[in-house]
Amino acid sequence: MAYDVIVLGLGAMGSAAAQHLAERGKRVLGIEQFTSPHDKGSSHGGSRMIRQAYFESPDYIPLVLRAYELWRKLERDTDTRLLHITGGMNIGSGDGELVRRTIAASTQHSIPFTVLEGRAINVRFPEVFPLTGDVAVHETNAGYLFPEECIRAQLARASRAGAELRFEESVVAWSAAGDRVEVRTDKGSYSAGHLVITAGPWANEALDGIVPLRVTRQVMAWIQPRTGVRPFLPDRFPVFLCEDARGGAHGYGFPAIDGPEGGMKAAIHGSADVCTPESVDREIHERDLRRIVDQLRMRIPALDGKVVRAQTCLYTMSPDEHFVIGAHPRFASCSIACGFSGHGFKFACVVGEILADLAMSGSTSHPIGLFSPLRFAG
């Protein structure tokens, strides 16, 4: 059977692309080497942050605003709660990039926020003890998503709309010539008019190195606060980003969403542990946990508590840490979405919409110039 579009990889972005394409009436084949969702890539761990005050670049804000709309629509269509609003706090030095850029991006796009300084931070959130010179930007509409449930919901909508989804099937090779693509797997061969590659940390292999990507090992820890979870429940405590006072990567975390024994999920955004999905060290080491606890307890002393569990995941980093979304640099019949660099999950639904646009017409009305694969040419 010939398909209109084949989607390679059915994680966050691929499941969204399959959904949007199928709901537009296209004959879609989705191929995934594992079950989906799974815990071998980048879209697991029970929670992913979503926020509108996007310090990375104000160019993301129109996309994340559309993502809020699409997540809410997916909730209605599947009768599943996916998006939880808790508010969000970005805290760091008043003259540091995290605070300055958050305020600038929010002001440019009229994102609701409040600035707290000094003791006002502790008054609003009694478990937070700011460092000298700290400023906190509190964003009204931030919160978290349930990533596994989001993927399941997108896959359910794709299947209901007629997409053929194949799991535990590995792609061996693919080729493109003119307006046709061929995909060969360990179970068969398939043809389509367009190929969408959403391979996550396997993108290097799927794209044969055409885009420079670096895969790194990340560790997520669930910490039992020394003061108990009550002050950190979602109706009392926000999702948060903390600037590293020593100049390293930001720490981040979530309120206690997993009940009295579940702890608070926290991590450091960034790692020097370069790996591949096959070579990654899945074992959790004491140094991994100490790095997380030592940074976050500087402002939230209660997080110097017992780690109740921990898990690894993978970041796929582009050189500038911005996404890579657009036409394949060599083949017009192939679109790619990769390099989500640890902050992409919240955009999955709108990335799926963009990929459907690209597959069907070769362009999109969404602003994706920042993410062009061609920026790495040469």
Side-chain angles (χ1 to χ4, degrees):
M1 175 179 176
Y3 300 89
D4 294 320
V5 185
I6 296 173
V7 179
L8 195 167
L10 292 174
M13 310 302 167
S15 62
Q19 175 202 340
H20 283 279
L21 284 160
E23 289 181 339
R24 296 186 195 184
K26 297 302 172 183
R27 294 169 297 173
V28 178
L29 172 64
I31 302 173
E32 168 59 51
Q33 63 179 323
F34 305 111
T35 57
S36 190
H38 59 79
D39 63 359
K40 299 174 179 63
S42 307
S43 298
H44 59 282
S47 57
R48 285 293 183 277
M49 195 178 299
I50 185 166
R51 51 195 167 88
Q52 297 176 354
Y54 227 73
F55 74 90
E56 288 88 343
S57 169
D59 292 355
Y60 286 91
I61 293 179
L63 296 177
V64 80
L65 294 178
R66 176 58 175 161
Y68 273 75
E69 296 174 353
L70 290 172
W71 288 127
R72 289 306 191 198
K73 182 178 186 301
L74 186 60
E75 287 183 320
R76 294 191 299 271
D77 290 345
T78 59
D79 194 25
T80 306
R81 190 173 181 195
L82 306 170
L83 171 57
H84 299 252
I85 301 300
T86 60
M89 175 179 62
N90 289 2
I91 183 170
S93 169
D95 59 3
E97 282 200 353
L98 176 61
V99 167
R100 288 189 297 103
R101 292 173 66 172
T102 299
I103 292 173
S106 301
T107 302
Q108 180 177 336
H109 286 276
S110 301
I111 302 301
F113 71 96
T114 303
V115 175
L116 304 171
E117 299 186 33
R119 175 153 174 74
I121 301 170
N122 179 254
V123 171
R124 180 71 179 270
F125 302 111
E127 298 298 325
V128 178
F129 293 81
L131 304 178
T132 301
D134 268 354
V135 170
V137 183
H138 182 258
E139 174 194 346
T140 306
N141 294 321
Y144 61 91
L145 295 156
F146 287 138
E148 290 91 345
E149 292 303 314
C150 290
I151 293 171
R152 290 188 186 100
Q154 290 176 158
L155 291 172
R157 292 298 296 176
S159 181
R160 182 173 181 177
E164 181 180 338
L165 307 177
R166 293 177 173 266
F167 300 99
E168 298 183 295
E169 184 166 350
S170 297
V171 171
V172 176
W174 66 271
S175 61
D179 60 356
R180 301 302 297 171
V181 295
E182 302 289 333
V183 176
R184 182 163 56 89
T185 74
D186 57 356
K187 296 183 179 178
S189 295
Y190 312 98
S191 175
H194 199 90
L195 176 65
V196 173
I197 297 179
T198 49
W202 292 268
N204 273 324
E205 292 78 6
L207 295 171
D208 197 24
I210 194 68
V211 176
L213 298 170
R214 181 171 56 96
V215 177
T216 60
R217 169 184 179 270
Q218 304 294 133
V219 173
M220 306 172 284
W222 284 258
I223 304 167
Q224 191 68 31
R226 289 190 290 105
T227 54
V229 300
R230 185 173 177 79
F232 296 99
L233 293 174
D235 61 345
R236 300 180 177 208
F237 205 78
V239 297
F240 60 91
L241 288 166
C242 287
E243 179 184 70
D244 184 4
R246 298 160 296 191
H250 303 318
Y252 67 93
F254 300 79
I257 67 176
D258 296 319
E261 305 303 321
M264 291 176 64
K265 180 182 167 186
I268 305 297
H269 178 77
S271 167
D273 296 339
V274 178
C275 62
T276 68
E278 292 72 35
S279 70
V280 60
D281 179 7
R282 299 282 183 183
E283 183 179 352
I284 304 298
H285 304 282
E286 180 62 25
R287 65 178 180 273
D288 298 323
L289 305 179
R290 254 336 336 138
R291 180 174 178 240
I292 298 169
V293 171
D294 284 350
Q295 182 176 142
L296 295 181
R297 70 177 180 175
M298 295 174 67
R299 293 185 176 93
I300 310 176
L303 288 185
D304 190 10
K306 178 184 177 182
V307 176
V308 296
R309 68 185 178 102
Q311 193 173 22
T312 59
C313 74
L314 299 173
Y315 278 9
T316 307
M317 311 292 291
S318 73
D320 56 14
E321 299 189 14
H322 293 309
F323 306 160
V324 182
I325 306 172
H328 190 290
R330 295 178 182 170
F331 305 110
S333 56
C334 177
S335 302
I336 63 177
C338 58
F340 290 97
S341 297
H343 63 109
F345 187 93
K346 63 184 77 65
F347 295 92
C349 53
V350 71
V351 170
E353 188 172 63
I354 291 165
L355 290 170
D357 292 343
L358 295 176
M360 293 175 65
S361 67
S363 64
T364 181
S365 61
H366 288 295
I368 61 170
L370 178 65
F371 312 131
S372 172
L374 297 177
R375 71 187 191 271
F376 302 115

